[in-house]
Amino acid sequence: MSMQAALPVAMIPGNSIIHRINPIAKLVWVVGYVVLAFSTQNIVVLYSMALFALLLAPIAGITKPLLKGALILVPVGSSLLALQIIAPAVERPWTPVGEIGPLTLYGDGIYYGFVLLGRIVASLLLALVMVMTTHPSDLFTSLSKLKVPYTLNFMLAMTLQLIPVFQREVGIIMSAQKSRGMKGKGFSAVLPSFVPVFVGAIERVQQLSISLESRGFGSNGIKTSYRQVRGRPSDWVIGIVGALALGGLSAYSIWRGTWNISSDIVFSPLFVVVTFVISATLFFGVVLFAVFLSLKK
Amino acid sequence: MTDATPSALSPLAIDVRGARYVYPTGNVTALGGVDLQVKPGEIIGIIGQNGSGKTTLTKLLNGLLKPTAGTVIVDGVDTAKKSVQEMAPHVGYVFQNPNHQLFARTVQMELEFGPRNIGLSEEEIAVRVAEAVEFFGLQDYIEEHPYRVSFPIRKLVGIASIVAMRPPILILDEPSTGQDHNTTHVINGLMRRLRDQGTTVVCVSHDMPLLADVVERVIVMKSTEIIADASPREVFADKTLMARTNLQAPQVTEIALQTVVPLGGPVALTPAELAADIAMRTGRPAAARTDAVG
C-alpha cells in the first residue's frame, strides 16, 4: 500500500547479537532499567544508562530508526527542562540566575530537570531497542513459557499488532476523503476520518473474534507456538547479569537515599540560561512546526 | 455537463509521460517510466497482477502520489503542482472498499460531502446530489445511514458520492470486488452511461469479464511498467501476453479462441457474441438469455 505510515517503533528485522538475545533476558533489562531509573537521582548513572542503550543501536543496526523514534523526546525533554528552570519542583527559596522578559530563571530545578529527562531518555531508549529488535511473537512465546496466560499474551500481542494495521487503515481513509476534497484539517476533518476508522475497527474485532473462535481459541490445553525461542546459556548470563547489576544499583541508590549528587554539581548561571534558551526554543520550534504542518494544505 | 476544461497543458484527459514513482521508504520502484495518453470520453481498463503498479499509477492520476520523475497531467492540470484536494474537482477516485469513505448520518449527507468540499453553492450541491441519486437509483436510501444499507448499495453510494462531484475523469478501483452479479451488472451499465455523458473512465480490475464487457481499451501492467495497450479483443487474444502476465482472459474468450476463432470467428468478449457466432454456424438461433449483458 502506498500510505505506509510506518510505525516509528515497529520491529526492525535483523540478525544482530541484540536481535538474537532471548526476549525474556531483554525484558529483564528493560524492567531493570525502569526500576533503576526511578530509584536513583544520580544523573551520572542515568545518562550512563542512556548512553549504554544508545551504544546498542549500532550493534543492532537500528541507529536511524531508533533516533527517529527518540525524536518524541525533543518536545518532552525540552518542555521538561524549560519548566524546571522557570518553576523548579523543589522547595523554595529559589535562587534566581537571570531574567528573560517576564520570566525569572532559577538554577535550583535544573538538576531535577536533568534527572527527570534522564529517566525518560534511559528507559525509552532501551525500551525502543528492545521493541525494535524483538519479534512480538517471540516475546509472547517466551512469556507463555513463564506461564503467563496466553489470553493475556494474546491481548498484548493483538494490541501491538493492530497498531500498524490501523495506521495503514487511517492512511487509506485519509486518502479516500482527501480524494473527495476534504481539507484534512480542523474540526471538519474529524468525522470523515474517524467514523470509518472506528466502524472498521469494530468490524475487524468482530471478524477476529469469530475467526478465533472458529479455530478453537479458548480451548484447553498447552499452547505451542510456531516460532521457537531458545534460551541459550548466554541469554541466561545476560538476564542474570542485568538483574544483578540493575537490581544492585537500584538497591544501592535506595540505600543512599536516591543517590542525589546535586550538591556536588554546580550549574553556572550562564549554563542555566543557555539551557533554558535552547530548550524553550526547541519546544516552541516543535510547537510552531506542528502548527505549520497542520495549516499547510 | 462536466467541468472538463482541458487547458493549455494538454488537450488529453490523461497525459502521463515518463512517470516514475519510487516509494521513499526502502527505495522500492513502484512505477518505472510509464507513458499513458487517454482522450476525453475514453473508457479504459488497467489490468495486471498485484504489485504490478496499477494502484500506484491511479494514485498518481489524482495526486495522492507525486511522480518522482516525469509528468502527470490530468484534465490539463499538472498533478505535481496540486494537492489531492485541488485535484478533486478534476478527477474522482472511487476506493475499493466503500467502508473507507462513508461516515455521514444519511446517504444524502454522504453525497453532499464531496460537492461541498469543492466549494459549490448549496443550490448546485442539491442539483448534483439529486442527479446522482437519480443516476444510481438511490431514491429509497437517501435517508438511510450509509452503514445500514447492504454492501452492494454501499458500493453504489461510494461511487455516487464521487460522481456527485462531477469529475470529468473517474477512476474506479476494483468496482466489482465483493459484488454479486447483479450489482456488477449495474456498475457496468453506470460506467457506460458515464462515458456516454463524456466522463473519462479508468477502471482498475481483476475482473476480466467486466472489462471485456465494458472497456474499449486495456492497459496491461507488469513489473511496474505498461507492457500492452490495446483493445480488449487484441489483449485477450494474445496468449503469450496473457501467459506472461499470469492473467486469464474471460472464459468466453478462451472458449472462442479454442473453437470459433480458428474457423475465422470473432474473439468473443461476451457470451452473446459467441452464442451469435455459434448460432450462425449451426444455423440454430441461440436461446435468449434474460440476463444478457447490454
Side-chain angles (χ1 to χ4, degrees), chain A residues 2 177 179-180 182-183, chain B residues 59 62 85 101 110 117:
Chain A
S2 68
Q177 303 299 39
S179 304
R180 297 169 75 191
M182 185 184 82
K183 297 293 180 285
Chain B
K59 285 189 171 167
N62 87 327
Q85 291 89 341
Q101 62 173 74
E110 192 68 56
N117 279 334

Side-chain angles (χ1 to χ4, degrees), chain A residues 1-4 6 169 172-173 175-184 188 191-192 195-196 199 203 297, chain B residues 23 25 59 62 64-65 84-86 88 93 95 99-103 110 113-114 117 147 161-162 165:
Chain A
M1 289 314 301
S2 68
M3 289 289 152
Q4 273 174 336
E169 197 101 315
I172 297 173
I173 289 161
S175 299
Q177 303 299 39
K178 277 192 207 160
S179 304
R180 297 169 75 191
M182 185 184 82
K183 297 293 180 285
S188 62
L191 274 185
V195 171
V199 173
E203 280 185 355
K297 270 188 211 165
Chain B
Y23 277 105
T25 45
K59 285 189 171 167
N62 87 327
L64 274 170
L65 300 176
V84 184
Q85 291 89 341
E86 288 171 310
Y93 195 122
F95 276 63
N99 295 351
H100 282 148
Q101 62 173 74
L102 302 182
F103 71 96
E110 192 68 56
F113 181 67
N117 279 334
Y147 283 104
S161 71
I162 304 296
M165 295 159 75

Side-chain angles (χ1 to χ4, degrees), chain A residues 34-41 119 249-251 253-254 257-259:
Chain A
V34 174
V35 171
L36 177 55
F38 284 88
S39 52
T40 190
Q41 285 189 10
R119 284 175 175 170
L249 276 171
S250 305
S253 284
I254 294 166
T258 74
W259 204 357

